[in-house]
């Protein structure tokens, strides 16, 4: 009969495999809400947290090293693996971004300072200080998700769009402009004739 520890290990391995697959398969596209895209990008955090825990359990020699050495080794491996993942994503048509590597490091530090046995080698006040700093970093990483969610709600409540046939998409000097008639709660029915969204020259349109 499997023990609780073995069951936990199996679940971690299963979750790690699923995360590895989702780095290259699935995910949001241009039709999904921006808040969903921002939330999806945060998936690097739990993925690398789990992989770090598995690394510490599967590499006993690493656990015998000093705590600072463990942190340095794990962060260097995280940057190497995270950078390789971003390069591989670019090769298969995904959009690589170095912000993802930052999320990778954050996930590894969460695992180190909240789940690794070696964290107790640090004096209590230093460990608590590091944990507070890492949690603050995590909250900052969540800010773009909250902002995108708020913007999605604001746009959906404040604007009522006309049919797609009334919208105008133009292209000039590498700049795409989407113009559409709208009615806002504060304007009369014949209110501002058109609002427009423009991109920088030679960039993809994302609305």
């Amino acid at each position: 009969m499997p023990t609780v520890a073995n069951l936990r290990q199996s679940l971690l391995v299963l979750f790690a495999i699923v995360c590895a697959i989702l780095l290259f398969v699935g995910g949001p596209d241009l039709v999904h809400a921006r808040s969903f895209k921002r939330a999806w990008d945060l998936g690097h955090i739990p993925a690398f947290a789990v992989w770090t825990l598995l690394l510490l359990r599967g590499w006993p020699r690493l656990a015998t090293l000093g705590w600072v050495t463990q942190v340095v080794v794990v962060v260097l491996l995280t940057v190497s693996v995270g950078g390789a993942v971003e390069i591989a994503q670019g090769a298969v048509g995904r959009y690589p971004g170095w912000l993802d590597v930052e999320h990778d490091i954050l996930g590894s530090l969460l695992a180190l300072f909240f789940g690794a046995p070696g964290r107790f080698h640090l004096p209590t006040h230093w460990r608590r200080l590091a944990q507070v700093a890492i949690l603050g970093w995590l909250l900052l990483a969540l800010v773009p998700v909250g902002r995108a969610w708020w913007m999605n709600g604001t746009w959906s409540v404040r604007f009522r769009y006309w049919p797609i046939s009334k919208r105008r998409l133009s292209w000039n000097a590498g700049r795409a402009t989407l113009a559409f008639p709208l009615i806002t709660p504060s304007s009369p029915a014949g209110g501002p004739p058109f609002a427009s969204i423009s991109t920088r020259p030679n960039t993809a349109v994302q609305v």
Side-chain angles (χ1 to χ4, degrees), residues 3-198:
T3 63
V4 174
N6 289 337
L7 180 59
R8 186 183 298 115
Q9 180 76 5
S10 300
L11 290 176
L12 285 176
V13 171
L14 178 61
F15 185 78
I17 294 173
V18 171
C19 288
I21 294 173
L22 292 179
L23 285 175
F24 300 96
V25 178
D29 52 32
L30 293 178
V31 301
H32 287 97
R34 190 177 296 273
S35 56
F36 177 66
K37 298 174 185 177
R38 295 291 184 265
W40 181 270
D41 291 339
L42 295 182
H44 285 251
I45 297 175
F48 273 79
V50 169
W51 294 342
T52 298
L53 291 175
L54 291 176
L55 174 66
L56 294 172
R57 296 183 181 188
W59 189 4
R61 178 173 174 77
L62 178 61
T64 64
L65 301 177
W67 175 244
V68 175
T69 304
Q70 290 184 45
V71 173
V72 171
V73 170
V74 169
V75 170
L76 289 177
L77 286 175
T78 299
V79 172
S80 300
V81 174
V85 167
E86 296 307 309
I87 293 173
Q89 285 183 335
V92 298
R94 302 292 288 266
Y95 295 97
W98 292 112
L99 181 61
D100 291 339
V101 178
E102 178 183 325
H103 292 157
D104 300 340
I105 297 173
L106 176 56
S108 294
L109 291 178
L110 284 169
L112 284 168
F113 284 90
F114 288 91
R119 70 186 187 277
F120 294 110
H121 295 162
L122 277 178
T124 302
H125 62 284
W126 287 114
R127 186 174 71 252
R128 298 303 185 197
L129 182 61
Q131 289 174 335
V132 169
I134 293 169
L135 289 177
W137 188 1
L138 177 61
L139 289 176
L140 287 177
L142 293 174
V143 168
V145 179
R147 183 186 296 117
W149 177 82
W150 182 83
M151 289 298 295
N152 286 344
T154 300
W155 277 72
S156 62
V157 170
R158 293 186 61 189
F159 297 101
R160 177 159 58 89
Y161 301 105
W162 285 13
I164 294 178
S165 60
K166 299 291 186 178
R167 301 176 189 178
R168 303 174 183 174
L169 180 62
S170 60
W171 184 267
N172 183 28
R175 181 189 298 272
T177 300
L178 175 64
F180 46 89
L182 56 83
I183 300 174
T184 67
S186 60
S187 65
F194 278 92
S196 64
I197 300 174
S198 298

